[in-house]
């Protein structure tokens, strides 16, 4: 950090990012040099054939070129490993070493061409074994992979590496004098307002182009272009006020995970709630857990056959194979967008309902238009609307349309706004349910039933907003929102939804903690912990990988400078305020640990309704074969105002993991997505 400046531009890597790629190439080159030396020694007396002089010169030159490359790589790896992330001074010579290494590609390419010419034209009359050995030398491998063309592969991978670290916005930025104090100044950009405005516009255009390329299979209509533009503005602006490169962020996340684990281990166990299946829990909580476990089956079923196969890998394909692709045009007239019938068949298996219980099923999927189904749940006497979560690229675009949109609701005082993408998706389903008469049809069949809305992830956020839109028309409706996104509702709407929405969050799930203020807070914490670390980046990454894979005591990986006192760490860094030329919209003193809700320029958004938090009861790291026990408790939205780094942060978001936890809390029977497996045990039915 900051990005390395070579060849007249700034790149997407820092000067301390060359340790691992340099070490890998050094390993390959040393093996190659040893192999070439053995080849030269073995064939030293066999250079009297046709073209033998060229062969001799080739091998001597190859040994020389490889030796120079090895020396340059040793220097690059050694220099790149010096200093710390915010102290690049000991690595100031890395640019010159990169130039030297780049120049050595020229003789390497010439020698590869020379060897190829000799093999094709001048090798006649030579021992076939010698020719094969030279081919192997040309291709950077030995005789067991003669045809691999490895020299050209190395050059190709080098070219690809250049493409990946190429920064389209990488104009050289003025660097601070070497002798100036280090700290936040190295992390913050130092350009004038006009230049920053131009750079920001260029960054948005670059990200729009990347999104169009990534989503080239989608129609480039007006709605997609608008989504690309809003997402590009969001992504491009996130780290626009810093000089962080991707590896700096990875190192910061590794350090932050260990710091959070240390804080968690130091917490007083007496103040931690201890609700578990073996201890008594409130009657209200127990009832809500049973209702949530029941609704979660429908939320998981809305994903269709991919989730069914994932949860039933052995029996699922067999059960669906006989029903998919069967002609059911007359029977499945209520189903849209499911051409093979596999989605609907999996829903029937997962929910245990009959075809006649479904009022409407749609698998139509576009940006802001997500699949859902409406069914009669006779067991709970409910008209149930289940909204699917993220399962396609279009759904991802809906997720990432995260700016706020006004959502005025009659009877709600205060600012009413919500996540734009999910607001649009809820409006689409609302029009289908109300304008197309789907709900009227359902309640004409079962007028005494109540309305229940559910969904997971994207479906959870959309279901919560849909419940808010329908609340005035259906005062008794209930909504069960599983793993909803954190950046969903304004405070007024979140408070309003507490009467009819229950949000279920498992463990350290990342998505319920995702919001723009939370991400700004995460960035601020990364900046703080990186600036306080006195270890080189390669050591941070190695120790972080070891910790993630094998655990250990986080105290073994200190993150704060060994020679700095604790009180010094609570002060601003080295005249921080006077060194900030441009304050970012989210900037706070790096020494401050205040909640981002107090200072963020972005509008704060909250989880919907009452929050039911499920956590594992026991140590965070356990044997793969140990049985997991869970505890559940009511929580506050403020408990989700910061991102927690954990190996479980994505696994806890999966719908099968949420369903498994709910089933564990409500019964002792084995977990399964297939309700047929529980029909034989009526005693344990939720």
């Amino acid at each position: 950090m900051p990005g390395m400046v070579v060849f007249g531009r700034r790149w997407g890597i820092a000067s301390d990012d060359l340790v691992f790629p340099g070490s890998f190439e050094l390993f390959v080159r040393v093996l190659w040099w040893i192999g070439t030396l053995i080849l030269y020694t073995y064939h030293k007396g066999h250079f009297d054939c046709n073209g033998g002089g060229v062969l001799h010169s080739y091998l001597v030159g190859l040994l020389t070129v490889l030796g120079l490359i090895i020396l340059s790589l040793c220097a690059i790896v050694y220099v790149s490993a010096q200093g710390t992330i915010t102290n690049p001074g000991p690595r100031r010579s890395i640019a010159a070493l990169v130039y030297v290494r780049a120049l050595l590609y020229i003789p390497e390419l010439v020698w590869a061409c020379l060897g190829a010419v000799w093999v094709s034209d001048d090798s006649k009359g030579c021992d076939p074994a010698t020719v094969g050995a030279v081919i192997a030398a040309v291709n950077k491998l030995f005789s067991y992979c003669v045809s691999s063309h490895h020299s050209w592969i190395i050059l190709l991978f080098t070219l690809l590496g250049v493409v990946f670290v190429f920064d389209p916005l990488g104009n050289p930025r003025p660097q601070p004098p070497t002798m100036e104090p280090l700290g936040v100044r190295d992390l913050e950009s130092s350009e004038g307002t006009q230049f920053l405005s131009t750079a920001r516009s260029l960054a948005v255009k670059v990200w729009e182009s990347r999104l169009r390329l990534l989503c080239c299979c989608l129609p480039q209509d007006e709605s997609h272009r608008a989504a690309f533009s809003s997402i590009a503005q969001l992504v491009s602006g996130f780290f626009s006020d810093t000089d962080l490169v991707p590896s700096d962020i990875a190192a910061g996340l590794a350090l932050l995970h260990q710091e959070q684990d240390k804080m968690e281990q130091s917490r007083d166990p007496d103040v931690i709630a201890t609700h578990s299946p073996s201890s008594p829990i409130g009657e209200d909580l127990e009832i809500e857990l049973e209702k949530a476990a029941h609704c979660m089956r429908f939320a998981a079923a809305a994903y269709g056959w991919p989730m069914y196969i994932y949860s039933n890998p052995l029996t699922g394909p067999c059960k669906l194979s006989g029903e998919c692709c069967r002609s059911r045009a007359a029977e499945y007239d209520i189903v849209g967008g499911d051409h093979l019938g596999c989605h609907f068949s999996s829903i029937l298996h997962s929910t245990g309902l009959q075809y006649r219980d479904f009022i409407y099923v749609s698998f139509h999927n576009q940006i802001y238009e997500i699949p859902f189904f409406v069914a009669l749940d006779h067991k709970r006497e409910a008209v149930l609307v289940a909204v699917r979560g993220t399962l396609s690229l279009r759904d991802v675009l809906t997720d990432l349309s995260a700016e706020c949109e006004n959502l005025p609701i009659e009877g709600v005082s205060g600012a009413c706004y919500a996540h734009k993408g999910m607001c649009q998706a809820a409006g689409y389903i609302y029009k289908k349910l109300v304008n197309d008469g789907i709900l009227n049809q359902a309640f004409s069949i079962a007028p005494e039933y109540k309305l229940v809305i559910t969904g997971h992830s994207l479906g959870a956020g959309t279901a919560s907003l849909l419940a808010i839109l329908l609340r005035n028309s259906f005062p008794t409706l209930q909504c069960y929102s599983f793993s909803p996104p954190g950046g969903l509702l304004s405070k007024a709407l979140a408070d309003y939804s507490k009467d009819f929405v229950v949000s279920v969050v498992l463990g350290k799930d990342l998505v319920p903690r995702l919001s723009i203020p939370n991400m700004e807070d995460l960035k601020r914490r990364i900046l703080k912990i990186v600036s306080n670390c006195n270890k080189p980046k390669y050591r941070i990454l190695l120790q972080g990988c070891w910790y993630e894979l094998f655990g250990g005591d986080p105290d073994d990986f200190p993150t704060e400078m060994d020679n700095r006192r604790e009180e010094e760490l609570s002060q601003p860094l080295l005249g921080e305020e006077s060194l900030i030329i441009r304050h970012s919209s989210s900037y706070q003193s790096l020494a401050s640990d205040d909640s981002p809700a107090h200072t963020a320029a972005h509008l704060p958004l909250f989880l919907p309704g009452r929050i039911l938090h499920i956590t594992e009861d026991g140590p965070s790291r356990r044997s793969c074969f140990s049985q997991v026990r869970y505890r559940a408790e009511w929580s506050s939205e403020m408990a989700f105002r910061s991102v927690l780094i954990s190996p479980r942060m994505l696994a806890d978001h999966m719908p099968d993991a949420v369903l498994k936890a709910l089933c564990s809390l409500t019964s002792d029977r084995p977990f399964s997505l297939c309700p047929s497996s529980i029909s034989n045990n009526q005693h344990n039915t939720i």
Side-chain angles (χ1 to χ4, degrees):
M1 181 202 317
M4 188 167 56
V5 178
V6 290
F7 301 107
R9 71 176 300 108
R10 181 181 179 273
W11 296 79
I13 58 173
S15 56
D16 54 357
D17 284 335
L18 302 179
V19 175
F20 296 120
S23 299
F24 176 76
E25 186 181 0
L26 179 62
F27 174 75
V28 174
R29 299 288 182 173
V30 168
L31 289 181
W32 182 13
W33 188 88
I34 294 174
T36 304
L37 181 63
I38 294 174
L39 177 67
Y40 176 80
T41 304
Y42 180 78
H43 294 284
K44 190 172 183 181
H46 303 279
F47 295 125
D48 53 353
C49 61
N50 185 29
V54 177
L55 172 60
H56 181 272
S57 301
Y58 170 77
L59 292 177
V60 172
L62 183 60
L63 288 171
T64 303
V65 172
L66 285 176
L68 294 174
I69 291 175
I70 289 172
L71 290 176
S72 67
L73 289 173
C74 289
I76 288 175
V77 171
Y78 175 78
V79 174
S80 183
Q82 304 305 305
T84 63
I85 295 177
T86 54
N87 180 23
R91 303 188 298 271
R92 64 175 62 92
S93 61
I94 199 72
L97 294 174
V98 170
Y99 289 134
V100 171
R101 176 65 189 91
L103 288 174
L104 290 175
Y105 278 111
I106 298 176
E108 181 183 12
L109 179 62
V110 171
W111 246 249
C113 294
L114 178 63
V117 170
W118 181 85
V119 168
S120 60
D121 295 334
D122 297 331
S123 62
K124 297 178 182 178
C126 289
D127 181 13
T130 304
V131 177
V134 174
I135 295 176
V138 172
N139 292 300
K140 313 302 191 278
L141 289 176
F142 303 114
S143 56
Y144 62 87
C145 55
V146 168
S147 60
S148 67
H149 299 283
H150 196 64
S151 62
W152 304 106
I153 292 177
I154 285 183
L155 295 174
L156 175 62
F157 273 104
T158 301
L159 179 61
L160 290 176
V162 170
V163 172
F164 279 122
V165 301
F166 178 78
D167 183 359
L169 307 175
N171 291 326
R173 299 179 182 178
Q175 302 300 319
T178 305
M179 298 306 294
E180 288 185 2
L182 297 169
V184 178
R185 177 204 58 252
D186 294 319
L187 310 179
E188 301 289 330
S189 299
S190 56
E191 304 297 333
T193 304
Q194 182 176 1
F195 173 78
L196 289 168
S197 176
T198 304
R200 196 175 297 114
S201 300
L202 180 59
V204 171
K205 292 180 181 178
V206 168
W207 277 104
E208 280 191 53
S209 301
R210 290 172 174 173
L211 288 170
R212 288 196 184 96
L213 181 62
L214 179 65
C215 307
C216 58
C217 57
L218 300 182
Q220 303 294 313
D221 54 21
E222 187 62 32
S223 62
H224 285 84
R225 284 194 292 270
F228 292 156
S229 178
S230 63
I231 295 171
Q233 291 179 11
L234 176 68
V235 175
S236 63
F238 186 59
F239 279 107
S240 63
D241 55 347
T242 70
D243 274 334
L244 292 171
V245 297
S247 60
D248 298 330
I249 301 173
L253 291 174
L255 293 170
L256 190 58
H257 180 205
Q258 296 172 61
E259 182 183 74
Q260 290 176 348
D261 281 359
K262 283 191 288 187
M263 294 177 62
E264 185 175 352
Q265 292 177 9
S266 63
R267 243 194 276 172
D268 185 358
D270 294 335
V271 302
I272 300 176
T274 57
H275 293 308
S276 69
S278 59
S279 62
I281 57 179
E283 182 179 353
D284 174 61
L285 180 57
E286 187 174 4
I287 293 173
E288 292 296 350
L289 281 171
E290 291 181 355
K291 292 180 179 179
H294 180 75
C295 289
M296 183 59 207
R297 296 187 182 278
F298 293 88
Y303 282 95
W305 68 262
M307 178 55 62
Y308 185 78
I309 297 296
Y310 174 77
S311 302
N312 303 274
L314 299 179
T315 60
C318 297
K319 291 182 178 180
L320 293 182
S321 60
E323 301 181 20
C324 296
C325 306
R326 189 188 304 174
S327 177
R328 295 187 174 186
E331 182 182 358
Y332 285 2
D333 55 347
I334 63 171
V335 180
D338 186 19
H339 302 296
L340 299 179
C342 294
H343 284 306
F344 189 48
S345 297
S346 68
I347 291 177
L348 292 174
H349 282 290
S350 299
T351 60
L353 300 181
Q354 303 298 318
Y355 168 79
R356 62 178 178 271
D357 297 327
F358 288 86
I359 305 300
Y360 183 81
V361 182
S362 172
F363 293 98
H364 169 77
N365 192 200
Q366 291 294 335
I367 186 172
Y368 306 143
E369 299 175 3
I370 56 181
F372 69 100
F373 68 81
V374 181
L376 298 178
D377 179 14
H378 301 295
K379 184 176 181 179
R380 292 288 180 177
E381 295 186 345
V383 174
L384 193 140
V385 180
V387 187
R388 195 189 77 180
T390 303
L391 197 63
S392 71
L393 188 57
R394 295 175 177 87
D395 297 334
V396 173
L397 295 178
T398 303
D399 282 317
L400 292 177
S401 298
E403 65 267 31
C404 295
E405 180 170 293
N406 288 328
L407 185 66
I409 299 296
E410 183 180 353
V412 180
S413 59
C416 295
Y417 51 88
H419 183 288
K420 175 184 176 181
M422 297 176 196
C423 216
Q424 296 278 342
Y428 159 76
I429 298 178
Y430 177 86
K431 293 176 182 177
K432 287 283 186 180
L433 295 177
V434 176
N435 297 351
D436 294 357
I438 296 174
L439 288 182
N440 287 337
Q441 179 185 353
F443 283 105
S444 66
I445 299 173
E448 73 282 6
Y449 282 15
K450 62 185 177 183
L451 179 61
V452 176
I453 306 174
T454 189
H456 173 267
S457 189
L458 168 63
T462 304
S464 301
L465 289 166
L466 179 61
I468 291 173
L469 294 174
L470 291 170
R471 168 70 169 175
N472 289 330
S473 301
F474 299 89
T476 61
L477 73 77
Q478 289 182 305
C479 175
Y480 288 89
S481 173
F482 301 97
S483 308
L488 184 65
L489 300 175
S490 65
K491 182 63 175 174
L493 286 178
D495 291 339
Y496 172 69
S497 66
K498 290 183 185 296
D499 292 334
F500 54 93
V501 177
V502 173
S503 291
V504 179
V505 177
L506 175 62
K508 297 183 177 180
D509 186 354
L510 171 66
V511 174
R513 295 173 170 85
L514 274 185
S515 65
I516 295 178
N518 284 11
M519 293 303 293
E520 293 288 358
D521 175 65
L522 177 64
K523 176 178 69 174
R524 183 179 62 86
R525 293 179 184 276
I526 289 176
L527 292 175
K528 175 183 177 180
I529 204 165
V530 162
S531 63
N532 283 340
C533 183
N534 69 336
K535 294 183 179 296
K537 189 193 299 181
Y538 79 93
R539 287 187 59 190
I540 297 173
L541 294 175
L542 284 176
Q543 293 175 342
C545 289
W546 179 271
Y547 184 76
E548 297 297 337
L549 292 174
F550 305 106
D553 189 349
D555 290 332
D556 293 337
F557 311 109
T559 62
E560 291 144 350
M561 288 189 172
D562 299 331
N563 60 344
R564 295 180 65 181
R565 298 188 305 273
E566 183 67 25
E567 58 269 21
E568 289 178 330
L569 291 173
S570 64
Q571 302 299 321
L573 296 172
L574 298 174
E576 167 188 334
E577 292 298 330
S578 63
L579 294 173
I580 300 298
I581 295 178
R582 180 180 69 89
H583 289 264
S584 67
S585 60
S586 62
Y587 178 75
Q588 294 175 266
S589 168
L590 296 188
S592 171
D593 286 322
D594 296 335
S595 169
H598 298 301
T599 56
H602 298 284
L603 296 173
L605 294 171
F606 299 87
L607 287 168
R610 294 182 296 162
I611 303 171
L612 184 56
H613 191 200
I614 301 174
T615 55
E616 293 185 8
D617 193 7
S620 58
R621 294 184 182 270
R622 62 184 187 278
S623 169
C624 297
F625 303 100
S626 61
Q627 185 176 3
V628 183
R629 296 179 65 85
Y630 297 94
R631 63 173 181 263
E633 60 184 342
W634 294 111
S635 185
S636 165
E637 66 269 11
M638 297 310 296
F640 301 90
R641 300 302 290 162
S642 62
V643 176
L644 299 181
I645 310 301
S646 169
R648 299 286 307 173
M649 60 195 301
L650 296 179
D652 283 345
H653 184 68
M654 295 299 292
D656 63 308
V658 179
L659 182 53
K660 179 180 179 181
L662 286 168
C663 289
S664 175
L665 283 165
T666 54
S667 69
D668 294 327
R669 56 178 164 73
F671 158 71
S672 172
L673 266 182
C674 182
S676 60
S677 65
I678 64 174
S679 60
N680 297 328
N681 190 353
Q682 296 298 326
H683 176 72
N684 286 326
T685 300
I686 298 173

